[in-house]
Amino acid sequence: MNELARVAAQSIGALPCTKIEKYQEGQFNKIFLMTTADGKEVIAKVPQPNAGRPHFTTASEVATMHYVRNVLGLPVPEIYAWNSNAASSTVGAEYIIMEKAPGIELGRAWPELNGNERRKIIQRLVQYQKNFTASTFPGIGSLYYARDLDEDFPCIPIKENISKNASMSGGFVIGPINDQRLFEQGRGDVECDRGPCKFVVHDSLARTNVEGSCTEKYVVAMGRHEMSYVKSSKQFTSPGIFGPGWYRPSVNKKIAVLEDYIKIARYLPPNDPLVTAPVLWHDDLHSGNIFVHPDDLTQIACIIDWQSSNTLPLIRHNIRPAFLDFEGPKPPLGMDGEARQGPQLPANFQELSQGEQREAQALVRQQALYKLFEMFSAVENPNVSRALLHRQTLRCVLIDCAAITAYHSEANVKARLIEAVDAWEELVGQGGPPCPLHFSEEDRTAQTKDFTEWSNCLGLKDVVMESLGAPADWDGATSAEEYDAAREKLQTAREEFLTFVVKRDEERDQWIKAWPFVDDEDIGE
């Protein structure tokens, strides 16, 4: 830590650090706020082992931040020093020393903003995203400086939009991908093709070779990677609770649906280069990664956390800013029919209690902001609107489902595969290649049964989350201050759950193992 503090102070020509605070600590990084004797502040970021591949993750984050700041002109922290080689680092670890983000976290400011101010922030983010869609890249992968990849390492040079600083450093290139989705829950240990992959535009009806398009190669590689992960894993996390007598995830069934997916994957990307061309993106725009100016809360001062940013087809990015997401029904896309009317209060609004009315009004406000992003994008960044519409089609839904087969249900993936078989001519066009898949009535009946049982397991977890008063995607993480209360609440909820599901004494241990929340203090006892 002392050496990290020395490097931080030296990087800005300041006096030694006199104060080190744990600034933030997420799942993938340790972040420290360092204050020097002359009052200057810098951020020191040290990646955790699960952040991604050593060297590549840090080297790519630095190149990406430089590109976004110096080429695209977005407000990104300035980097003062960094080292992606732990072995050569005097600190003994990889690190990035950067400017402390100016301003106030949007999450702190958001409750104080009125509707018009919130709209201005959404519009400004849409304008920033327009910079991303206006700059397509020659391949799928992650950004690096050429000097940070070995000479014999595959990479794709970026010949346009190179800043002066980048040219002095050997230029930007597209190298192997650092998509966090390919590393989470042990996926990083699986050998797979991580690119890069050169982008080629071609006619979808001429898809006779998977090498013809990097988007096609990418979605096939995703399926192969997930299948390798399934084969090598002993257990999987899941959105449901699976116990004795209920649906049980099956490795063999997961492998079978992925084999089927790989057979048709190259036909799935839409024949629309505006949404399949690789673009850079910030895939995690939650309110803690956006900072606003204290004197004008509608002005964005800084956007942080560019780790694991990639150049991917727009349809594979998390397009909508995460801070706009909410629990509840989402407004329909487009401007036709029901969507044209916009979010509406329920017809029986006047009959609701005051509390229910407040909840209904809050939901409509959230839906309106969610819809507003789409409307601003339609005017200022139409490629995003196209991608949002594509993402709800069978093509993209199947790609998304297959990529998380280990976590999701194989029955859900198979349902989408059956839909693809039934809509094959629509997918490939008249005169296109014959469908390589066939599902008998027996297959379809078994899938319906599996899907129903799997859905019941999801419903079981929904009941637990509702009893806890927690969002559906809560993973059990809590603050130190709330830990004791959360632990007690979970223990009570578990006993109530076991009382409900255990029918025979011999089932109890199996249901305890199925319980999704395991206290770290209990592990190893």
PDB file of all heavy atoms in Angstrom, residues 406-430:
ATOM      1  N   ALA A 406     -26.022 -21.808 -18.988  1.00  0.00           N
ATOM      2  CA  ALA A 406     -25.605 -22.375 -17.706  1.00  0.00           C
ATOM      3  C   ALA A 406     -26.421 -21.792 -16.562  1.00  0.00           C
ATOM      4  O   ALA A 406     -26.761 -22.484 -15.601  1.00  0.00           O
ATOM      5  CB  ALA A 406     -24.120 -22.121 -17.472  1.00  0.00           C
ATOM      6  N   TYR A 407     -26.744 -20.513 -16.654  1.00  0.00           N
ATOM      7  CA  TYR A 407     -27.513 -19.843 -15.612  1.00  0.00           C
ATOM      8  C   TYR A 407     -29.010 -19.988 -15.847  1.00  0.00           C
ATOM      9  O   TYR A 407     -29.780 -20.246 -14.937  1.00  0.00           O
ATOM     10  CB  TYR A 407     -27.135 -18.359 -15.576  1.00  0.00           C
ATOM     11  CG  TYR A 407     -28.049 -17.498 -14.740  1.00  0.00           C
ATOM     12  CD1 TYR A 407     -27.938 -17.497 -13.358  1.00  0.00           C
ATOM     13  CD2 TYR A 407     -29.010 -16.682 -15.324  1.00  0.00           C
ATOM     14  CE1 TYR A 407     -28.768 -16.706 -12.577  1.00  0.00           C
ATOM     15  CE2 TYR A 407     -29.840 -15.889 -14.552  1.00  0.00           C
ATOM     16  CZ  TYR A 407     -29.717 -15.897 -13.178  1.00  0.00           C
ATOM     17  OH  TYR A 407     -30.542 -15.117 -12.422  1.00  0.00           O
ATOM     18  N   HIS A 408     -29.406 -19.850 -17.089  1.00  0.00           N
ATOM     19  CA  HIS A 408     -30.821 -19.859 -17.446  1.00  0.00           C
ATOM     20  C   HIS A 408     -31.291 -21.290 -17.678  1.00  0.00           C
ATOM     21  O   HIS A 408     -30.552 -22.242 -17.522  1.00  0.00           O
ATOM     22  CB  HIS A 408     -31.031 -19.011 -18.704  1.00  0.00           C
ATOM     23  CG  HIS A 408     -32.205 -18.094 -18.612  1.00  0.00           C
ATOM     24  ND1 HIS A 408     -33.474 -18.492 -18.928  1.00  0.00           N
ATOM     25  CD2 HIS A 408     -32.308 -16.807 -18.220  1.00  0.00           C
ATOM     26  CE1 HIS A 408     -34.304 -17.479 -18.759  1.00  0.00           C
ATOM     27  NE2 HIS A 408     -33.623 -16.443 -18.333  1.00  0.00           N
ATOM     28  N   SER A 409     -32.534 -21.420 -18.057  1.00  0.00           N
ATOM     29  CA  SER A 409     -33.091 -22.754 -18.252  1.00  0.00           C
ATOM     30  C   SER A 409     -32.856 -23.266 -19.657  1.00  0.00           C
ATOM     31  O   SER A 409     -33.099 -22.565 -20.637  1.00  0.00           O
ATOM     32  CB  SER A 409     -34.592 -22.731 -17.976  1.00  0.00           C
ATOM     33  OG  SER A 409     -35.203 -23.906 -18.439  1.00  0.00           O
ATOM     34  N   GLU A 410     -32.395 -24.488 -19.751  1.00  0.00           N
ATOM     35  CA  GLU A 410     -32.291 -25.144 -21.051  1.00  0.00           C
ATOM     36  C   GLU A 410     -33.666 -25.283 -21.698  1.00  0.00           C
ATOM     37  O   GLU A 410     -33.787 -25.285 -22.925  1.00  0.00           O
ATOM     38  CB  GLU A 410     -31.625 -26.508 -20.901  1.00  0.00           C
ATOM     39  CG  GLU A 410     -32.267 -27.433 -19.884  1.00  0.00           C
ATOM     40  CD  GLU A 410     -31.772 -27.223 -18.456  1.00  0.00           C
ATOM     41  OE1 GLU A 410     -31.161 -26.172 -18.177  1.00  0.00           O
ATOM     42  OE2 GLU A 410     -32.000 -28.110 -17.630  1.00  0.00           O
ATOM     43  N   ALA A 411     -34.717 -25.371 -20.863  1.00  0.00           N
ATOM     44  CA  ALA A 411     -36.078 -25.461 -21.405  1.00  0.00           C
ATOM     45  C   ALA A 411     -36.469 -24.157 -22.095  1.00  0.00           C
ATOM     46  O   ALA A 411     -37.170 -24.159 -23.113  1.00  0.00           O
ATOM     47  CB  ALA A 411     -37.074 -25.773 -20.283  1.00  0.00           C
ATOM     48  N   ASN A 412     -35.991 -23.033 -21.562  1.00  0.00           N
ATOM     49  CA  ASN A 412     -36.272 -21.746 -22.183  1.00  0.00           C
ATOM     50  C   ASN A 412     -35.541 -21.612 -23.509  1.00  0.00           C
ATOM     51  O   ASN A 412     -36.105 -21.148 -24.508  1.00  0.00           O
ATOM     52  CB  ASN A 412     -35.850 -20.621 -21.227  1.00  0.00           C
ATOM     53  CG  ASN A 412     -36.301 -19.258 -21.709  1.00  0.00           C
ATOM     54  OD1 ASN A 412     -37.326 -19.118 -22.336  1.00  0.00           O
ATOM     55  ND2 ASN A 412     -35.503 -18.249 -21.404  1.00  0.00           N
ATOM     56  N   VAL A 413     -34.276 -22.035 -23.549  1.00  0.00           N
ATOM     57  CA  VAL A 413     -33.522 -21.983 -24.801  1.00  0.00           C
ATOM     58  C   VAL A 413     -34.176 -22.883 -25.849  1.00  0.00           C
ATOM     59  O   VAL A 413     -34.319 -22.506 -27.016  1.00  0.00           O
ATOM     60  CB  VAL A 413     -32.059 -22.412 -24.571  1.00  0.00           C
ATOM     61  CG1 VAL A 413     -31.281 -22.380 -25.887  1.00  0.00           C
ATOM     62  CG2 VAL A 413     -31.389 -21.507 -23.541  1.00  0.00           C
ATOM     63  N   LYS A 414     -34.605 -24.082 -25.418  1.00  0.00           N
ATOM     64  CA  LYS A 414     -35.230 -25.000 -26.378  1.00  0.00           C
ATOM     65  C   LYS A 414     -36.548 -24.438 -26.911  1.00  0.00           C
ATOM     66  O   LYS A 414     -36.886 -24.628 -28.086  1.00  0.00           O
ATOM     67  CB  LYS A 414     -35.474 -26.362 -25.731  1.00  0.00           C
ATOM     68  CG  LYS A 414     -35.907 -27.422 -26.744  1.00  0.00           C
ATOM     69  CD  LYS A 414     -35.801 -28.823 -26.171  1.00  0.00           C
ATOM     70  CE  LYS A 414     -36.141 -29.876 -27.218  1.00  0.00           C
ATOM     71  NZ  LYS A 414     -35.952 -31.244 -26.710  1.00  0.00           N
ATOM     72  N   ALA A 415     -37.277 -23.712 -26.066  1.00  0.00           N
ATOM     73  CA  ALA A 415     -38.521 -23.085 -26.528  1.00  0.00           C
ATOM     74  C   ALA A 415     -38.226 -22.118 -27.667  1.00  0.00           C
ATOM     75  O   ALA A 415     -38.961 -22.059 -28.671  1.00  0.00           O
ATOM     76  CB  ALA A 415     -39.200 -22.357 -25.369  1.00  0.00           C
ATOM     77  N   ARG A 416     -37.134 -21.347 -27.531  1.00  0.00           N
ATOM     78  CA  ARG A 416     -36.767 -20.395 -28.584  1.00  0.00           C
ATOM     79  C   ARG A 416     -36.278 -21.130 -29.835  1.00  0.00           C
ATOM     80  O   ARG A 416     -36.517 -20.679 -30.957  1.00  0.00           O
ATOM     81  CB  ARG A 416     -35.672 -19.449 -28.086  1.00  0.00           C
ATOM     82  CG  ARG A 416     -36.000 -18.733 -26.783  1.00  0.00           C
ATOM     83  CD  ARG A 416     -37.312 -18.002 -26.829  1.00  0.00           C
ATOM     84  NE  ARG A 416     -37.644 -17.403 -25.543  1.00  0.00           N
ATOM     85  CZ  ARG A 416     -38.850 -16.976 -25.200  1.00  0.00           C
ATOM     86  NH1 ARG A 416     -39.853 -17.106 -26.060  1.00  0.00           N
ATOM     87  NH2 ARG A 416     -39.071 -16.438 -24.018  1.00  0.00           N
ATOM     88  N   LEU A 417     -35.585 -22.242 -29.643  1.00  0.00           N
ATOM     89  CA  LEU A 417     -35.142 -23.024 -30.798  1.00  0.00           C
ATOM     90  C   LEU A 417     -36.335 -23.565 -31.583  1.00  0.00           C
ATOM     91  O   LEU A 417     -36.339 -23.555 -32.818  1.00  0.00           O
ATOM     92  CB  LEU A 417     -34.250 -24.176 -30.334  1.00  0.00           C
ATOM     93  CG  LEU A 417     -32.852 -23.802 -29.825  1.00  0.00           C
ATOM     94  CD1 LEU A 417     -32.197 -25.003 -29.151  1.00  0.00           C
ATOM     95  CD2 LEU A 417     -31.968 -23.304 -30.972  1.00  0.00           C
ATOM     96  N   ILE A 418     -37.347 -24.023 -30.866  1.00  0.00           N
ATOM     97  CA  ILE A 418     -38.550 -24.524 -31.536  1.00  0.00           C
ATOM     98  C   ILE A 418     -39.232 -23.394 -32.306  1.00  0.00           C
ATOM     99  O   ILE A 418     -39.695 -23.586 -33.445  1.00  0.00           O
ATOM    100  CB  ILE A 418     -39.512 -25.154 -30.506  1.00  0.00           C
ATOM    101  CG1 ILE A 418     -38.899 -26.462 -29.967  1.00  0.00           C
ATOM    102  CG2 ILE A 418     -40.886 -25.422 -31.119  1.00  0.00           C
ATOM    103  CD1 ILE A 418     -39.684 -27.079 -28.822  1.00  0.00           C
ATOM    104  N   GLU A 419     -39.287 -22.211 -31.693  1.00  0.00           N
ATOM    105  CA  GLU A 419     -39.858 -21.054 -32.399  1.00  0.00           C
ATOM    106  C   GLU A 419     -39.061 -20.766 -33.667  1.00  0.00           C
ATOM    107  O   GLU A 419     -39.647 -20.435 -34.712  1.00  0.00           O
ATOM    108  CB  GLU A 419     -39.838 -19.825 -31.492  1.00  0.00           C
ATOM    109  CG  GLU A 419     -40.830 -19.854 -30.343  1.00  0.00           C
ATOM    110  CD  GLU A 419     -40.744 -18.583 -29.513  1.00  0.00           C
ATOM    111  OE1 GLU A 419     -40.731 -17.486 -30.104  1.00  0.00           O
ATOM    112  OE2 GLU A 419     -40.672 -18.686 -28.273  1.00  0.00           O
ATOM    113  N   ALA A 420     -37.727 -20.876 -33.593  1.00  0.00           N
ATOM    114  CA  ALA A 420     -36.894 -20.605 -34.758  1.00  0.00           C
ATOM    115  C   ALA A 420     -37.159 -21.612 -35.872  1.00  0.00           C
ATOM    116  O   ALA A 420     -37.217 -21.254 -37.055  1.00  0.00           O
ATOM    117  CB  ALA A 420     -35.417 -20.628 -34.362  1.00  0.00           C
ATOM    118  N   VAL A 421     -37.329 -22.875 -35.517  1.00  0.00           N
ATOM    119  CA  VAL A 421     -37.646 -23.904 -36.520  1.00  0.00           C
ATOM    120  C   VAL A 421     -38.969 -23.584 -37.200  1.00  0.00           C
ATOM    121  O   VAL A 421     -39.094 -23.676 -38.429  1.00  0.00           O
ATOM    122  CB  VAL A 421     -37.688 -25.293 -35.854  1.00  0.00           C
ATOM    123  CG1 VAL A 421     -38.270 -26.325 -36.814  1.00  0.00           C
ATOM    124  CG2 VAL A 421     -36.290 -25.720 -35.409  1.00  0.00           C
ATOM    125  N   ASP A 422     -39.960 -23.199 -36.395  1.00  0.00           N
ATOM    126  CA  ASP A 422     -41.290 -22.915 -36.952  1.00  0.00           C
ATOM    127  C   ASP A 422     -41.302 -21.646 -37.802  1.00  0.00           C
ATOM    128  O   ASP A 422     -42.173 -21.486 -38.664  1.00  0.00           O
ATOM    129  CB  ASP A 422     -42.306 -22.783 -35.817  1.00  0.00           C
ATOM    130  CG  ASP A 422     -42.536 -24.097 -35.082  1.00  0.00           C
ATOM    131  OD1 ASP A 422     -42.169 -25.151 -35.638  1.00  0.00           O
ATOM    132  OD2 ASP A 422     -43.075 -24.077 -33.957  1.00  0.00           O
ATOM    133  N   ALA A 423     -40.352 -20.729 -37.562  1.00  0.00           N
ATOM    134  CA  ALA A 423     -40.305 -19.476 -38.319  1.00  0.00           C
ATOM    135  C   ALA A 423     -39.082 -19.435 -39.238  1.00  0.00           C
ATOM    136  O   ALA A 423     -38.587 -18.357 -39.567  1.00  0.00           O
ATOM    137  CB  ALA A 423     -40.277 -18.292 -37.343  1.00  0.00           C
ATOM    138  N   TRP A 424     -38.601 -20.619 -39.648  1.00  0.00           N
ATOM    139  CA  TRP A 424     -37.337 -20.691 -40.372  1.00  0.00           C
ATOM    140  C   TRP A 424     -37.330 -19.881 -41.659  1.00  0.00           C
ATOM    141  O   TRP A 424     -36.372 -19.141 -41.943  1.00  0.00           O
ATOM    142  CB  TRP A 424     -36.984 -22.147 -40.665  1.00  0.00           C
ATOM    143  CG  TRP A 424     -35.610 -22.294 -41.237  1.00  0.00           C
ATOM    144  CD1 TRP A 424     -35.256 -22.611 -42.505  1.00  0.00           C
ATOM    145  CD2 TRP A 424     -34.377 -22.097 -40.521  1.00  0.00           C
ATOM    146  NE1 TRP A 424     -33.896 -22.626 -42.649  1.00  0.00           N
ATOM    147  CE2 TRP A 424     -33.326 -22.321 -41.436  1.00  0.00           C
ATOM    148  CE3 TRP A 424     -34.068 -21.749 -39.221  1.00  0.00           C
ATOM    149  CZ2 TRP A 424     -31.993 -22.208 -41.086  1.00  0.00           C
ATOM    150  CZ3 TRP A 424     -32.735 -21.645 -38.850  1.00  0.00           C
ATOM    151  CH2 TRP A 424     -31.721 -21.865 -39.777  1.00  0.00           C
ATOM    152  N   GLU A 425     -38.367 -19.996 -42.447  1.00  0.00           N
ATOM    153  CA  GLU A 425     -38.388 -19.270 -43.724  1.00  0.00           C
ATOM    154  C   GLU A 425     -38.347 -17.767 -43.495  1.00  0.00           C
ATOM    155  O   GLU A 425     -37.729 -17.020 -44.256  1.00  0.00           O
ATOM    156  CB  GLU A 425     -39.627 -19.648 -44.535  1.00  0.00           C
ATOM    157  CG  GLU A 425     -39.607 -19.048 -45.941  1.00  0.00           C
ATOM    158  CD  GLU A 425     -40.722 -19.585 -46.823  1.00  0.00           C
ATOM    159  OE1 GLU A 425     -40.720 -20.808 -47.086  1.00  0.00           O
ATOM    160  OE2 GLU A 425     -41.587 -18.774 -47.225  1.00  0.00           O
ATOM    161  N   GLU A 426     -38.975 -17.320 -42.433  1.00  0.00           N
ATOM    162  CA  GLU A 426     -38.941 -15.894 -42.098  1.00  0.00           C
ATOM    163  C   GLU A 426     -37.527 -15.467 -41.700  1.00  0.00           C
ATOM    164  O   GLU A 426     -37.096 -14.349 -41.993  1.00  0.00           O
ATOM    165  CB  GLU A 426     -39.913 -15.608 -40.944  1.00  0.00           C
ATOM    166  CG  GLU A 426     -39.984 -14.149 -40.534  1.00  0.00           C
ATOM    167  CD  GLU A 426     -40.922 -13.932 -39.374  1.00  0.00           C
ATOM    168  OE1 GLU A 426     -41.776 -14.808 -39.116  1.00  0.00           O
ATOM    169  OE2 GLU A 426     -40.805 -12.882 -38.712  1.00  0.00           O
ATOM    170  N   LEU A 427     -36.788 -16.355 -41.042  1.00  0.00           N
ATOM    171  CA  LEU A 427     -35.434 -16.034 -40.613  1.00  0.00           C
ATOM    172  C   LEU A 427     -34.451 -15.974 -41.772  1.00  0.00           C
ATOM    173  O   LEU A 427     -33.599 -15.081 -41.829  1.00  0.00           O
ATOM    174  CB  LEU A 427     -34.943 -17.069 -39.584  1.00  0.00           C
ATOM    175  CG  LEU A 427     -35.553 -17.030 -38.192  1.00  0.00           C
ATOM    176  CD1 LEU A 427     -35.042 -18.192 -37.351  1.00  0.00           C
ATOM    177  CD2 LEU A 427     -35.240 -15.710 -37.492  1.00  0.00           C
ATOM    178  N   VAL A 428     -34.522 -16.919 -42.691  1.00  0.00           N
ATOM    179  CA  VAL A 428     -33.514 -17.009 -43.764  1.00  0.00           C
ATOM    180  C   VAL A 428     -34.039 -16.545 -45.108  1.00  0.00           C
ATOM    181  O   VAL A 428     -33.262 -16.409 -46.058  1.00  0.00           O
ATOM    182  CB  VAL A 428     -32.970 -18.448 -43.890  1.00  0.00           C
ATOM    183  CG1 VAL A 428     -32.344 -18.890 -42.581  1.00  0.00           C
ATOM    184  CG2 VAL A 428     -34.059 -19.420 -44.329  1.00  0.00           C
ATOM    185  N   GLY A 429     -35.346 -16.308 -45.213  1.00  0.00           N
ATOM    186  CA  GLY A 429     -35.921 -15.868 -46.477  1.00  0.00           C
ATOM    187  C   GLY A 429     -36.264 -17.013 -47.410  1.00  0.00           C
ATOM    188  O   GLY A 429     -35.762 -18.139 -47.250  1.00  0.00           O
ATOM    189  N   GLN A 430     -37.114 -16.717 -48.366  1.00  0.00           N
ATOM    190  CA  GLN A 430     -37.483 -17.745 -49.341  1.00  0.00           C
ATOM    191  C   GLN A 430     -36.263 -18.164 -50.145  1.00  0.00           C
ATOM    192  O   GLN A 430     -35.451 -17.341 -50.556  1.00  0.00           O
ATOM    193  CB  GLN A 430     -38.559 -17.212 -50.296  1.00  0.00           C
ATOM    194  CG  GLN A 430     -39.925 -17.064 -49.647  1.00  0.00           C
ATOM    195  CD  GLN A 430     -40.990 -16.705 -50.665  1.00  0.00           C
ATOM    196  OE1 GLN A 430     -40.687 -16.300 -51.787  1.00  0.00           O
ATOM    197  NE2 GLN A 430     -42.241 -16.857 -50.271  1.00  0.00           N
TER     198      GLN A 430
END
